[in-house]
Amino acid sequence: MNPLSRTSAAVRCALAAGALSLVLSAITHAESKPRTMQQVLEASKPSDWRSLDPQDTLYLDLAAGRVVIELAPAFAPLHAENLRTMAREHYFDGLAFVRAQDGFVVQWGDPEAEDKDKARPLGKASRTLAPEFERATSKDLSFTTLPDGDVYAPEVGFSEGFPAARDARAGKTWLAHCYGMVGAGRDNAPESGGGTELYVVIGHAPRQLDRNVAIVGRVVQGMDLLASLPRGGGPMGFYEKPEQRTAIKTVRLASDVPESARTPLEVLRTDTPTFAALVESRRNRRDDWYHVPAGKIDLCSVPIPVRTPPAR
């Protein structure tokens, strides 16, 4: 029998309330032999997975392949809508990656953005937006708490499928700068960004950026294409010559792409007993190779699996 099928209704309620530590304890006692992450995923049910919303999915197409980005409108609704507008007006088409800083980020946008005469027009999109660095915590905002604490926040976990943090006293919740997260570049003024320049974390999680930048989503497929871009030789990894840049073919909303040309993907839900079991499999690695399980895990070390939907 699948040990998850023996998870009590009380445990399921605890998970829905965000008490992941209680679920982890229940799973540990329920399983006679701890499972690996692969075994947890193999035992998952269709209901443990969710499809990407085409209205909140961007396809960034390069000569080398496609990068799929899931937007986070629950945390950055203004930026998400602005990015939809830019995609529909083909703002990013033909622009380029202008920066690749080793161990940090890759960044794309208009190489001529600083020249008013050459900068690409935005059409109906906005160049600057109000900062969306954090949002108010609310009952309708899901949050699955990790049990091991955090250096940068009183509480961390997963909200709406994204790595997140929150402060109950302040009543604030925000997304975290984990690997693959997408942020909107800005100048010094908090309201100086709008999504015309976007970056993706390709190195160790720069959590010091949390609540200082609007995180607009995360890459769910294609990180290999971004992490392997040639590093820039200029300050902060900027490319010094135009020919060093990687060109962007197109950026489109999945909803504006014919269904036959879409990339079908499913993401593991983060509010289920299966996800709790996955977290436990990573906190206490009991594969034959491991002799000393860590017993803890940090937020950015928890994977959120993505798969091609299995044939029905």
Side-chain angles (χ1 to χ4, degrees):
M1 179 182 292
N2 185 340
L4 288 180
S5 66
R6 300 197 297 269
T7 305
S8 68
V11 169
R12 291 179 181 273
C13 291
L15 178 59
L20 183 59
S21 58
L22 295 180
V23 182
L24 296 177
S25 177
I27 291 171
T28 300
H29 286 87
E31 296 184 351
S32 57
K33 183 179 180 180
R35 295 177 297 161
T36 65
M37 186 178 79
Q38 184 59 37
Q39 290 170 328
V40 170
L41 295 177
E42 289 173 351
S44 67
K45 305 181 297 293
S47 59
D48 291 323
W49 300 82
R50 61 181 177 86
S51 298
L52 296 178
D53 185 344
Q55 286 281 350
D56 290 325
T57 305
L58 289 177
Y59 292 155
L60 187 157
D61 285 330
L62 308 173
R66 171 172 288 177
V67 177
V68 181
I69 298 170
E70 182 180 21
L71 298 177
F75 288 88
L78 297 178
H79 286 76
E81 184 58 33
N82 208 40
L83 286 167
R84 294 188 194 102
T85 300
M86 284 188 277
R88 286 176 173 143
E89 297 196 353
H90 302 184
Y91 172 77
F92 290 108
D93 295 6
L95 296 184
F97 281 84
V98 298
R99 175 189 181 193
Q101 186 171 358
D102 192 48
F104 191 41
V105 302
V106 296
Q107 181 175 322
W108 71 90
D110 183 1
E112 306 291 349
E114 300 301 319
D115 188 329
K116 294 182 179 180
D117 295 327
K118 296 181 180 180
R120 177 166 295 188
L122 272 167
K124 297 179 181 178
S126 300
R127 191 165 296 278
T128 61
L129 295 170
E132 294 181 300
F133 304 161
E134 58 187 10
R135 58 155 288 171
T137 301
S138 61
K139 292 182 179 179
D140 63 339
L141 184 68
S142 66
F143 198 95
T144 302
T145 309
L146 282 183
D148 296 321
D150 187 68
V151 173
Y152 294 92
E155 192 174 28
V156 292
F158 293 85
S159 183
E160 307 298 319
F162 294 89
R166 68 180 179 182
D167 185 334
R169 287 190 175 185
K172 297 293 184 181
T173 305
W174 59 92
L175 296 182
H177 274 82
C178 295
Y179 184 79
M181 297 298 278
V182 183
R186 66 172 177 86
D187 292 327
N188 288 342
E191 69 281 357
S192 59
T196 57
E197 293 183 356
L198 296 173
Y199 65 84
V200 177
V201 177
I202 63 166
H204 183 73
R207 295 285 306 283
Q208 73 278 3
L209 299 179
D210 291 359
R211 291 189 288 175
N212 286 285
V213 182
I215 298 181
V216 301
R218 74 183 184 96
V219 174
V220 296
Q221 182 172 288
M223 276 302 297
D224 56 322
L225 302 176
L226 303 183
S228 61
L229 288 176
R231 302 307 189 241
M236 300 176 66
F238 279 92
Y239 296 119
E240 298 178 292
K241 299 178 181 179
E243 60 268 22
Q244 295 175 315
R245 302 169 185 151
T246 297
I248 295 171
K249 294 175 64 177
T250 62
V251 173
R252 294 285 184 273
L253 269 175
S255 57
D256 294 335
V257 173
E259 191 165 354
S260 60
R262 295 180 188 176
T263 302
L265 295 174
E266 290 182 339
V267 181
L268 189 70
R269 289 172 50 193
T270 58
D271 59 349
T272 65
T274 293
F275 183 71
L278 180 144
V279 171
E280 175 59 19
S281 75
R282 306 303 288 181
R283 290 176 75 236
N284 284 292
R285 298 291 297 270
R286 297 181 178 89
D287 319 41
D288 291 340
W289 188 89
Y290 281 87
H291 295 283
V292 182
K296 296 182 181 296
I297 194 168
D298 67 273
L299 176 65
C300 293
S301 294
V302 178
I304 305 178
V306 179
R307 72 178 186 180
T308 299
R312 302 298 184 189

